[in-house]
Amino acid sequence: MTHDFVHNNLPSRVVFAVGARTRLPEEIDRLGLHRLIVVCTPAQADLAADLTSPLGGKIAELHPHATMHVPVAVAAKAIARSREIDADGCIAIGGGSAIGLAKAIARDTGLPIVALPTTYAGSEMTTVWGLTDAARKTTGRDQRVLPVTVIYDPQLTVTLPPALSITSGMNALAHSAESLYAPDRSPITSLIAAESVRALADALPRLVTDPHDMGARADALYGAWLAGSALGATTMSLHHKLCHILGGTFDLPHAETHTAVLPHVLAVNLPAAPQARTALESALRAADPADHLFHLANNLGAEMSLKALGMPEDGLRTVIDQALAAPYANPTPVREAELDHLLGNAFVGAPPT
């Protein structure tokens, strides 16, 4: 290995334990916060109210309006409410939708975020934000959106159904896979990413067998934390670009789209990224990582067809055009032929080639 790299550690505090949610009041006290806006999706309003009830009068407002891909209008309302109630902090409870909305608030107001993830999205460990407007998703990086504290409690993921657990876990695994061939990877991020892949791939089948297996839930959440850390420290490539286009343009479900696309992108990229391929072969104990991940997800019940997820066939041209119009780092050149081939396979749910 040639030791020539730059590595940045992102400044966030992680509290990880079964039952860690009960430590929320002491973490809020530690930060000196007194007027909090709590963001979540409508479906998790009761959970958010229950988790934050020990904070009493420190909760200025429960704002259960987070939605997928963070539409600009939804973000604007949340930002306005945080100003109107004079919030001094934001608690995000949920997956990527809730944490994404909290990031929109923080990016505009500078409010510190405390995150309690209930999925394996990994967004809570990154400076990446995303907003969707007029069927286009825009993303960027800003230190202000990185949560100052993340409380990981495996018990908060138990209500995540097995099907969503699989796709959420595959979404996290995609972060690690792409970080292994990122242009700004370091030995540390590569170690983190490989361990993440190992933990997630081992945990997901156990979750399907027993959704209440707390050891499996803890292992999956551990893997997701590492995946988010790898995502936060590196530049993502073709896979994430395509998923942002698919989600923002066609409103496809986030984790399910990552699951369907990842094996096909790896089939294109890994021949040009031998170190990443070797790391994935070892972590997955498989000779063909792309094929292995396809069949792992498929055998666990994940939908592998973009068409079945709601993608219109006449939209493939739009995805290709958008991907070609915005250059980005990738281990191999991104050309129309490769995009047409991998998206065609992903559209019908065929194995990667």
Side-chain angles (χ1 to χ4, degrees), residues 81-158:
R81 283 304 297 157
S82 69
R83 295 189 187 281
E84 289 165 5
I85 65 176
D86 195 27
D88 64 359
C90 178
I91 297 176
I93 297 173
S97 297
I99 293 166
L101 183 57
K103 287 182 170 185
I105 294 172
R107 178 170 173 256
D108 197 271
T109 66
L111 294 183
I113 301 171
V114 175
L116 286 84
T118 62
T119 73
Y120 308 125
S123 173
E124 66 281 350
M125 293 306 298
T126 82
T127 61
V128 179
W129 57 268
L131 293 169
T132 302
D133 186 28
R136 287 292 182 99
K137 187 168 186 177
T138 302
T139 63
R141 290 179 183 262
D142 191 320
Q143 287 285 341
R144 291 175 297 178
V145 310
L146 180 70
V148 295
T149 301
V150 180
I151 299 175
Y152 285 110
D153 185 343
Q155 289 179 330
L156 291 179
T157 68
V158 170

Side-chain angles (χ1 to χ4, degrees), residues 233-285:
T234 57
T235 300
M236 295 291 101
S237 300
L238 176 60
H239 171 79
H240 283 75
K241 179 67 176 182
L242 291 178
C243 289
H244 286 160
I245 296 171
L246 289 163
T249 305
F250 302 103
D251 200 34
L252 299 188
H254 183 79
E256 291 86 342
T257 301
H258 276 270
T259 303
V261 170
L262 177 62
H264 304 284
V265 173
L266 292 181
V268 169
N269 278 346
L270 291 184
Q275 289 185 340
R277 183 184 180 103
T278 298
L280 288 172
E281 288 172 350
S282 177
L284 295 170
R285 298 184 293 277

Side-chain angles (χ1 to χ4, degrees), residues 10 20-21 24 58 60 68 82 86-87 94 96 105 114 153 155 176 181 208 241 256 261 263 273 286 300 316 318:
L10 296 178
R21 64 191 182 280
L24 176 61
K58 291 183 179 180
M68 191 168 59
S82 69
D86 195 27
I105 294 172
V114 175
D153 185 343
Q155 289 179 330
S176 295
Y181 50 66
V208 172
K241 179 67 176 182
E256 291 86 342
V261 170
L300 293 176
L316 294 177
T318 298

